[in-house]
Amino acid sequence: MKYTYYPGCSLHSTSWEYDASTRAVFRRLGIELEELDDWSCCGATSAHATDDFLGKALPLRNLILAEEKGQDIMLPCAACYNTLRTADRFMRSGSQQARELNLELARVMGREYQGTVETRHILDVLQDKTVQSLLKSRVVRPLTGLKVAAYYGCLLNRPPEIVSFDVPEQPVVMDRLLETIGAEPVQWSYKTECCGGSSSIPQPEVAVRLNTRIVLDALRSGAQAIVTACPLCHVNLDTRQEGAIGQVPELGAGMPIFHITELLGIALGTPEEEVRQWFARHLVDPGRLFSESTQVA
Amino acid sequence: MPEDLLVEKKTTGAVLVVGGGIGGMQAALDLANSGYLVHLITEEPSIGGKMARLDKTFPTNDCAMCLMGPRMTDTQNHPNIKIHTLTSLEGLSGEAGNFKVTLRERARYVNIEECTACGDCEQVCPVTVPNTYNEEMDTRKAVYKLFPQAVPNKYLIEKRGIPPCRATCPAGTNVQGYTALISQGKFKEALEVVMRRLPYPGICGRICHHPCESECNRAQYDEPIAIATLKRAAADYGWEGLPPVEPVKPWQAEKVAIIGGGPAGMTAAADLVARGYRVTVFDANDLPGGMMLSAIPRYRLSRDIVARESQRLLEMGIEFRGQTVVGRDITLAEIRSQFDAVLVAVGTQKSRSLNIEGISASGVLLGLDFLKAINAGQPPAVGRRVLVIGGGNVAMDVARSALRLGAAEVHVASLEARHEMPAHSWEIEEALEEGIVLHPSWGPKRILQQDGKVTGVEMLQVSSVFDENRRFNPKFIPNSEKVFEADTVILAIGQTSDLSFLPADLGLEVTRGGTIVADPLTKATAVPGIFACGDVVSGPASVVEAIAAGHEAAISIERYLSGQDLAEGRSLEKPEKLGPPEGRLVLASRRRQQRAAPVAERIKDFREVLLGFTPEVAQEEAKRCLNCGVCSECLQCETACKKKAIEHWQRDKVLELDVGAVILAPGYELFEAELKGEYGYGVYPNVVTSLEFERLLSATGPTKGALRRPSDGKHPHRIAFLQCVGSRDTAGGAEYCSSICCMYSTKEAIIAREHDREVQASIFYLDLRSYGKNFDRYVDSAKNDYGVRYIRSFISRVRQEPKTKNLIITYYEGGQLKEEEFDLVVLAVGVRPPKKARELAQLTGIRLNQYGFAWTEELDPVVTSRPGIFVAGAFAGPRDIPETVMTASAAAARAAALLSDSRGTMVSPKVYPPERDVAGEEPRVGAFICRCGINIGGVVDVPAVVETAQRLPGVVHAQEFTFTCSQDSIKRIKELIEEKNLNRVVVASCTIRTHQPLFREALREAGLNPFLFEMANIREQDSWVHRDQPDLATAKAKDLVKMAVAKVKKQEPLYMQQVPVVPKALIIGGGPAGLTAAAALADQGIESYIVEREGELGGFLRRLRTSPEGQDLGSYLRDLLRRVDEDPRIHVFTRAEVAEVSGHAGHFKTVVTLRGRMAESRVELEHGVIILATGTVEARPQEYLYGQDPRVLTQTELENRLADGEHQGLNRVAMIQCVGSRDDKHRYCSRTCCTQAVKNALAVKKANPAAEVYVLYRDMRTYSFMEKYYKEAREQGVLFLRYDEGEKPRVSPGQDGLKVEVVDQSIGQPVTLAVDTLVLATAAEPPAGVKELATVLKVPLNEDGFFMETHAKLGPMDFPSQGIYMAGAAHSPKFLWEAVYQAEGAVARAMNILAQPSLTVGGVVAVVDEEKCAACLTCVRVCPFNVPFINERRVAEINPVQCHGCGSCAAECPAKAIQLQNYKDAQILAKIRGLFELSEVGG
């Protein structure tokens, strides 16, 4: 099994640990990830809002590159995933504009997009039956007793006709993954609540308010941590808890926020050394959860 | 006879009704009562449909089940209705009038004739599954009754198939069966289930390799059930309770010899003994058991277990000749001469050896010999360091035995790699636990020795064991030699059979591997009469496989001996694997581990290593079973059922029937609430669907009617109802309106409040669609009397408070966003086509509409696209109960019209013997006391009751029956009536409701008047309620019997009278409903008189021009008038009015006045029924400048202008809805105006797309599929502005057209419109003269002046007075097609009377003694049916045709002038006196 791996900019910068843990997980599963050569920006944050051509051409360029590889493309970032899926769907519509765009790109890249490559989010790959049974058989440190709120945010599930590989209003893929590694997903109402990611810079107070609601509901639902599958959600939830810390005693020093691959990586037996490097990148230290309960780190 | 007469096409006078809900029942009853045979099929085990699952029905808030109970009983008891439950339509051919239908009746597994619904089977059934009747909120058993009042009141068993555990077991052991029994702690019963297929339960419980566990569906969720260990538990804890073996006396002449007393041979022997054969087993050992006894190490299987299980088999009568080696002590030839068949089951008892250097060195042993020696009590000496060669189970046994014999080190070398080793993984693991050292992938090259004594083995490393064809073909790595030192080497590399006793010339085929060739299916060898099975055929295998082979061999031997084909009907194929039950929520739970002796201790001796489960742990583990097959076929019910009604062998039945017409009434499905994930249904426990809520309110629901919420069982107080879940929703739901939800939520809110005064209900809605008769009043009462809050806000999400599990809803009200917490959220889920709609359409060839419901022509609402097939109820679209009843009757009318030439041809009246005159005879009473199995007999001392009954004066015979209602008991009662010349009968058993008709029928068949019968209910009223006080219950039973006997002695024969029917109808009103009714009657061959007040026929339809779908109503009316005009059976009186009515159902006399040009004249008409079709008129508005300004029109006026193509002045149009409706003047909704407005708005837009159209409304009530026009209007740019009743729009003439001012509620702002035309939606009101007509007919009107039906739900076309019906807008405002189906429905109701030559009246009716009557009018006032009247003799008269026998008048009559037959004062008093009979003797 092999996937073309498109990390996107976050995983090469702010969310380095998401990239590292993704690679660790797939290494331990024995699934090869081949990073896409010469990948470029997907255009997620600004291109689609400012320039329609760029908004489609940027993801399309990456799709064309990936198509040459022949295997499915896997993305850990929900924004990249959403953008590439949207572009892919646009191209598959076969509309006049799509054909024109394809010709335009072909002039630059010498190759048209055929629509033969499947763009898949990391969660979609992980819910594959074969990957599931691999995962099940390779868990060496079940995270027994760890209560986690699975947080999906917006881009993974919306719009459902473009991106959804899960139940759009009540997604469960991460909850199932948590069960597979022995952790306990909690039932809560904010799985798909907006984290305010896009307001983070222009209106940080909005982001803080939205984040606080999410974190506090997870806490009240009995979660010890939140797990995400999107670098933007992760950054937001991890860095914007200041509103609640200090005001809610149960929250203590904050709610640890994990990338799903970090928890999988731990369960699959990634050495402590490596895990510590991931955790060092978090603002709210997740390490204490393990020193108390499962002695992983 | 001429040829053409012979082939004249006649229709078949029978109808198939598909669906057993209220619609199906109504259609069936109407047809059956008018002379047709009805086959009513339902896929459910009971009739009742959705209504049977409702708690209450509005507006009367009656219990739904209480309403429908009598209807269900009528349906079941009707001689012309054949109910087929669990039945589906599979095929249909032919054409209208003559169809052939194929039905499949699923097996019920309970004999429907014999079952008495005593419930004994349910008590013992060990399988518990979710109860779908209660929306899976509680559980039921695999044998069950759909609901307590099910009709037929019979049990059934649910089966899904053979579960994978059982299918996988080579011996076919019923795993689910014994697991289910263990889950209830019934170990003995479980063991009996095991032993039906497995004579060695304790052995297999210990050493079976349990392939069943690998197949267990539970593994998909967590881990498989520990099946083998459970089996051991059954043997461990159930053995002592087994009854002693009863030796079988052989009854067959033939004798069978079995060579080999291992599991294969002994199983076959036991089977053959049970089949009556004489069986002799020859075995070399002194005891049976084969390898189980001689080779399997004791630490895995103790000798005691083998001995006791073998002993039980021997006790059956197997002759065992031990210490007999065939070929040595007796030859095969001798055996063949003495026996008729021989089974060779000698197993594989020889160890294989190796042909390598040093093999004969001392200290080299063979594995099997080694094990046998140990079990024989002569353990060979082992050295310090033992090397075992081999990787199978025997190698493990040898290694672990060597350890127990004192070896310091035990090594096992196998050719195979670790994962290829043939030994079971758990054997290897236990060995490793004990310290055995494995050396995988090593093969022996030579054995090293010193002084003839082994010192070690030179081994070669193995590169592969199997070649590419998976054949054994080991490859060694050259030069990889290594010496394994050892002082004892034991070879465990396989076994082979010793076949030396077989003469070479016998003709048996033997393989190169040394096994006998036998047919894998039949176990027959090449030599007739010689069979072979077990390891000697298969090579070394497991005990359970040997047992399986033994069973098969026994079948073949029996067939051989009785000359049958050996292979017929047998197969090696396994059925497809049955998956786990669908949609089941499985909570994760770990597999229990059995106890094991500690390693340090157990390796010292041969004590048992695995210790099984404790009974408690076994029960817990068994409870993890998913019951994949639902019924486990444990057969406990078979034992429990005293009536022997359980029939597990039943198969589905296919029936072919001839019918003339088909009525489809399969009902509907509810929207799946999970699909609207935003509401969290299925995720948040306190979000429930409306049907679940009904069940939570219901007394037969999961909470027994206590309103408790699912998460914590607390009483919810703040309850939110969310409307339009899956309706009026194009995103994942349906575009149409489900029509029923606004009202059912209102009802549920009211009922919840009636349950608990603290309940605060809030209904979140889009438009409140209370458009039906009395609906708005009901909503008003919800608001005013029950404090129900109605909030117009669409809810987009429900959140859950994690701690309390309360639910938080955000909504918009009064211009503000609000957040509110609720204890419970109820989702008003919408109506969907029935699941089988597509299949049904395909089978019957009918069309479906765009939403998947049955397609019908807009104005012909019960007729499908295929002639002869009609549709009733919600299959044609969302319908409430009265609409379902109306369409069902309408479908019945249409079917009857089609088949009118064959009316009465398929039903035959029953012939009875002449009735005996008992007048003047002394009472001779027969009293029959029922035990009802243990239902009565288990509590009441029935013989004592019989004894008391015998001593009662007048009783000439008393006896008990186990089941009095069974066929044989009934037969006996009839015989006794004759033998003992009985003239009165008493049965003491259960309720008269279900059983009295049966016993009365028996009396009639025996030539007695059926009213000479009395029943005492000693079950429901005695044994069931006094279970804990048997003595008192017995005393009460005696009292009840004494009373019944005393009363029956006073009973008199009652005779029914025949009153001839005048087969004509009077129809009052010549609008569309009246005309349709006349035409429908004519289609059934019935004459009718139409009495129309106006000079012209057509009613309000004359003023309507187009239907919502765009049909030309003018031509529709012209066609209808032509049809009426041309039919000689329809007589029309215009300018006519009803002046007087007398008579009764079946024969009315009506005086009609005719207003001629010159003078008035009168005619008297005689007819059997009356149909009221008086319609409505458009109210004339007083407001909004109507009549003052020519630019103000009514919707009907606009419709006419548009139809005539007059589009001027329609560039800016405002429409005001509810002008005169839903206000103080008319408190009801006029139902049709919203759709009419939308229709006209669309017409304006169509003519001029640039036109501005504004609709000022309060609630848009475009219910059902009409929602699509509302949606289209919005898409076309029609603007809808909502106004509030308190702030009505204001209209004034302005400079630029008319000025319309309105406060738009959705924005909360005033809006001013300037329009050129203003259109008013005016109210529909009853025409003048209705009150007078009601007085003449003595029928009631409601507060709004519409005729009031007998029952809003079940009698929407009937009046309390029999023979009078209503149709169309006389009932309430309605659309044309609704008037059409109600008119057709009224005809079906009328045909109940008109189809009879005469009405049978009398029986239990009130009779007036004219001498005593003072004409005080008490009876006239008290009668709920308005029957008594003061006649020309100035005394009360009660017409037996109309009397319902309720007894109200008899009870109230101050002069005691009225007596209710069969319940006369003298009879009741005698009954009371009877209570004290025999009391002096203490009886």
Side-chain angles (χ1 to χ4, degrees), chain B residues 595-612:
Chain B
R595 298 159 298 162
V599 173
E601 294 298 315
R602 75 194 192 205
I603 57 170
K604 292 177 185 162
D605 49 36
F606 280 81
R607 72 179 71 180
E608 208 170 357
V609 168
L610 295 176
L611 304 172

Side-chain angles (χ1 to χ4, degrees), chain B residues 212-259:
Chain B
C212 47
E213 293 185 15
S214 326
E215 291 294 310
C216 176
N217 280 328
R218 178 92 211 187
Q220 296 177 24
Y221 302 94
D222 35 59
E223 294 164 291
I225 312 287
I227 296 171
T229 317
L230 285 177
K231 180 163 37 249
R232 172 178 176 163
D236 285 355
Y237 307 118
W239 188 269
E240 296 301 321
L242 286 181
V245 182
E246 280 184 35
V248 184
K249 256 187 102 161
W251 64 87
Q252 310 275 16
E254 292 86 355
K255 293 196 292 181
V256 182
I258 293 177
I259 306 173

Side-chain angles (χ1 to χ4, degrees), chain A residues 136 167 169-170 187-194 213 216-222 250, chain B residues 219-221 674 676-681 683-684 797-803 805 819:
Chain A
K136 221 177 221 176
V167 196
E169 297 288 352
Q170 300 282 354
Q187 189 44 256
W188 66 319
S189 298
Y190 284 87
K191 283 179 166 183
T192 61
E193 189 77 7
C194 175
R213 274 162 48 123
L216 290 185
D217 196 72
L219 185 73
R220 283 197 208 100
S221 305
E250 310 93 277
Chain B
Q220 296 177 24
Y221 302 94
E674 291 93 334
K676 292 265 121 193
E678 57 268 42
Y679 299 137
Y681 176 78
V683 181
Y684 311 142
R797 185 175 65 160
V798 173
R799 282 183 289 130
Q800 178 180 264
E801 224 301 302
K803 290 256 161 29
K805 309 276 183 223
E819 206 172 79

Side-chain angles (χ1 to χ4, degrees), chain B residues 493-564:
Chain B
I493 54 165
Q495 297 114 265
T496 177
S497 298
D498 179 0
L499 298 178
S500 56
F501 68 95
L502 295 174
D505 58 352
L506 187 62
L508 268 189
E509 205 183 321
V510 176
T511 65
R512 275 177 49 204
T515 58
I516 297 178
V517 176
D519 184 297
L521 182 63
T522 64
K523 316 299 176 197
T525 66
V527 182
I530 298 186
F531 298 82
C533 74
D535 287 3
V536 73
V537 173
S538 61
S542 63
V543 171
V544 72
E545 284 159 308
I547 292 170
H551 283 309
E552 295 305 319
I555 294 172
S556 296
I557 290 170
E558 187 190 20
R559 288 186 180 199
Y560 168 75
L561 293 176
S562 56
Q564 298 172 55

Side-chain angles (χ1 to χ4, degrees), chain A residues 141-157:
Chain A
R141 277 181 211 164
L143 305 184
T144 314
L146 186 67
K147 293 184 177 158
V148 188
Y151 176 73
Y152 299 80
C154 56
L155 290 168
L156 278 179
N157 296 290

Side-chain angles (χ1 to χ4, degrees), chain B residues 947-948 951-953 1038 1042 1476-1483:
Chain B
E947 199 261 332
T948 301
R951 290 193 292 137
L952 291 168
K1038 288 176 182 173
K1042 287 190 290 184
F1476 305 104
E1477 201 105 44
L1478 291 186
S1479 55
E1480 70 281 1
V1481 287

